Amino acid sequence: MDENPFTDPIHPEQPQRPIEDSTLIVGRTASLTLGTDSLIVLESKTTHAIPFYNILWAELSNFEISIQYASPTAASVVRVSTINYPVEKPEHPRAVSWVRTLLDLAYGVSQWKKRIKVLINPFGGKGRAQKWYLRHVEPIFAAARCEVDLQKTQYRGHAVEIAENLDADAFDVIAACSGDGLPFEVFNGLGNKPDARRALKNIAVVQLPCGTGNAMSWNLNGTDSPSLAALGIVKGIRTPLDLVSITQGDRRTLSFLSQSVGIVAEGDLATEHLRWLGSARFTYGILVRLLGKTVYPCDLAVKIEVATKPEVREHYRRALNDRSPPDKNRDSLSSQDANGQQQDSGLPKLQYGTINDDLPHDWNLVPYDKLGNFWCGNMACMAANTSPFPATLPHDGCIDLVTIDGDISRIAAIRSLLAVETGKFFDMPHVNYRKISGYRIIPKNQKDGYISIDGERLPFEPFQAEVHRGLGTVLSKSGHAYEASGLLIKDGE
């Protein structure tokens, strides 16, 4: 995912084409040429290329051209660099249009000068989130001429309040400088707004990875480097994102990442006291429970959309080849009032009802007494090099469900754990993998346990989930797929 972070992504919306008058003569011994995917800087004794993706800004002031770009200084770090050249008076009129063309190539379909509300969790990254932001992120946003409004969160749930009270027309992006907890709060804050659907469409929610869990950044930018993520946000393409309504008791919560009951939920939430182990605490927690052959009995009802692994592969293949305009990948964001007028108020109506309603007529509640793992993913990657949901897509109207029996052999269980990192998890015979649009799960025969929604603990009670296609918005490199290792399409498929 992070093997070559400086590669310029080529978007299908922008076919490569010859550029007329692509070379600008600057100074006495230098030239700037717009190449296929890079700016070629030719000086008397040196030549180097700057990928268009790394170009942050360019401008012509009087008779000097200035270009700022993200320059790699380490394997996963970029810093702002600037080149300046004089422009002779006869070249000045053409230089104006040349700069505009350079910016068009640098940004493609991405928005220039994004208006960004930055939320910093001062406790994120063991208290280093603000330091990382100031060192790695702020210079990149400034060079790209982004308008930034920064605010620190002061307590748990503060980001919910900030997003709920935010002027949805004042910002293009909310950037959470944190782990995955702050984006979860932001989505739910936007979901509380009177015009929730409009706000969730207009404001892209992104992550500047500064926490323990940085799954959102791995999926959207293929990195947990704050500087590379900042570059990804500057160049990011607005992408519809499915969100999932979770109803439990009288509460409705939005999920953007994952939901789990069983081994994964316990491996995460029951090891909070081991945070000093870093990401290894999750592996430790999972391994202990796998070796114990722990089961989590429940009753389960699922609305299946794609039932078998071959069908999941075909669904994924078709979706990757689909280049529909972004808003065609959203459910209707408006509803009609009694007079037939369109409204953008509130969240979408739940077509399957809540956990308190009767079960939908086409759902069957079946006992699952030997459940080992119930894990739903809305994104492919849950951590670095960990992609348990390789067939997930940002806006296909489905979440991917993995269920595994808890009484499989210990060897098979350990192989499953290892296979998540090798890309072989999907094809393991005891891994049940489906695409679904809703479910109801009722834990039983346990007084207490763990339910994880985007890494946040919910009460150990029955709950129901329903997918809303394209309800949210994020920024991604491609606009249609995650950066995590996806499902390999076999020959002939």
Side-chain angles (χ1 to χ4, degrees), residues 42 125 148 200 209 217 253 266 268 274 295 310 317 381 392 394 412 415 459:
L42 176 63
V148 175
L200 286 162
S217 183
T253 304
E266 280 202 16
D268 181 14
L274 300 174
V295 296
R317 184 192 64 79
C381 178
T392 49
R415 285 175 177 168

Side-chain angles (χ1 to χ4, degrees), residues 41-94:
V41 182
L42 176 63
E43 297 179 331
S44 58
K45 296 182 179 180
T46 62
T47 302
H48 68 280
I50 305 171
F52 289 139
Y53 181 75
N54 288 47
I55 301 290
L56 299 170
W57 196 249
E59 60 187 11
L60 186 65
S61 179
N62 295 323
F63 291 94
E64 182 177 74
I65 190 169
S66 176
I67 299 171
Q68 291 179 288
Y69 64 99
S71 175
T73 60
S76 297
V77 178
V78 290
R79 296 271 188 267
V80 175
S81 293
T82 303
I83 53 175
N84 297 285
Y85 293 99
V87 175
E88 299 295 332
K89 189 173 183 179
E91 286 283 285
H92 190 275
R94 197 168 69 83

Side-chain angles (χ1 to χ4, degrees), residues 158-360:
H158 192 195
V160 176
E161 299 173 12
I162 294 171
E164 183 175 355
N165 295 308
L166 196 73
D167 181 355
D169 295 317
F171 298 97
D172 307 303
V173 178
I174 300 178
C177 191
S178 67
D180 294 311
L182 227 56
F184 171 79
E185 291 189 13
V186 170
F187 277 122
N188 279 281
L190 295 176
N192 289 341
K193 295 178 75 67
D195 59 343
R197 278 170 282 186
R198 176 174 172 271
L200 286 162
K201 177 185 177 183
N202 289 351
I203 301 178
V205 180
V206 300
Q207 181 186 49
L208 292 163
C210 293
T212 304
N214 301 306
M216 188 181 205
S217 183
W218 279 113
N219 282 282
L220 300 178
N221 294 308
T223 184
D224 65 351
S225 158
S227 61
L228 288 177
L231 177 59
I233 290 167
V234 165
K235 294 303 182 74
I237 299 170
R238 292 178 61 83
T239 306
L241 178 71
D242 297 341
L243 295 178
V244 184
S245 278
I246 307 296
T247 61
Q248 187 182 59
D250 60 357
R251 303 176 300 277
R252 182 176 180 179
T253 304
L254 292 178
S255 169
F256 77 95
L257 180 60
S258 66
Q259 310 100 48
S260 61
V261 179
I263 286 176
V264 169
E266 280 202 16
D268 181 14
L269 299 175
T271 58
E272 285 287 329
H273 63 292
L274 300 174
R275 277 191 172 270
W276 56 273
L277 285 173
S279 59
R281 71 178 176 89
F282 180 73
T283 303
Y284 169 80
I286 294 286
L287 188 59
V288 167
R289 286 153 182 83
L290 287 178
L291 293 176
K293 302 181 75 170
T294 311
V295 296
Y296 305 84
C298 67
D299 292 331
L300 179 63
V302 177
K303 175 63 175 176
I304 299 174
E305 301 296 338
V306 186
T308 68
K309 289 181 180 178
E311 290 172 331
V312 168
R313 285 187 182 276
E314 176 58 20
H315 173 94
Y316 184 75
R317 184 192 64 79
R318 289 199 310 268
L320 287 185
N321 292 327
D322 184 4
R323 296 296 186 269
S324 300
D327 283 344
K328 287 191 176 181
N329 294 304
R330 299 185 192 269
D331 287 336
S332 175
L333 298 179
S334 299
S335 59
Q336 291 186 342
D337 63 18
N339 298 317
Q341 298 297 311
Q342 295 295 313
Q343 295 182 323
D344 292 324
S345 59
L347 291 172
K349 182 179 179 181
L350 294 167
Q351 61 173 327
Y352 300 143
T354 73
I355 187 64
N356 301 315
D357 295 320
D358 292 337
L359 197 69

Side-chain angles (χ1 to χ4, degrees), residues 93-105:
R94 197 168 69 83
V96 173
S97 61
W98 186 94
V99 167
R100 175 70 191 210
T101 302
L102 172 61
L103 288 173
D104 284 340
L105 291 168

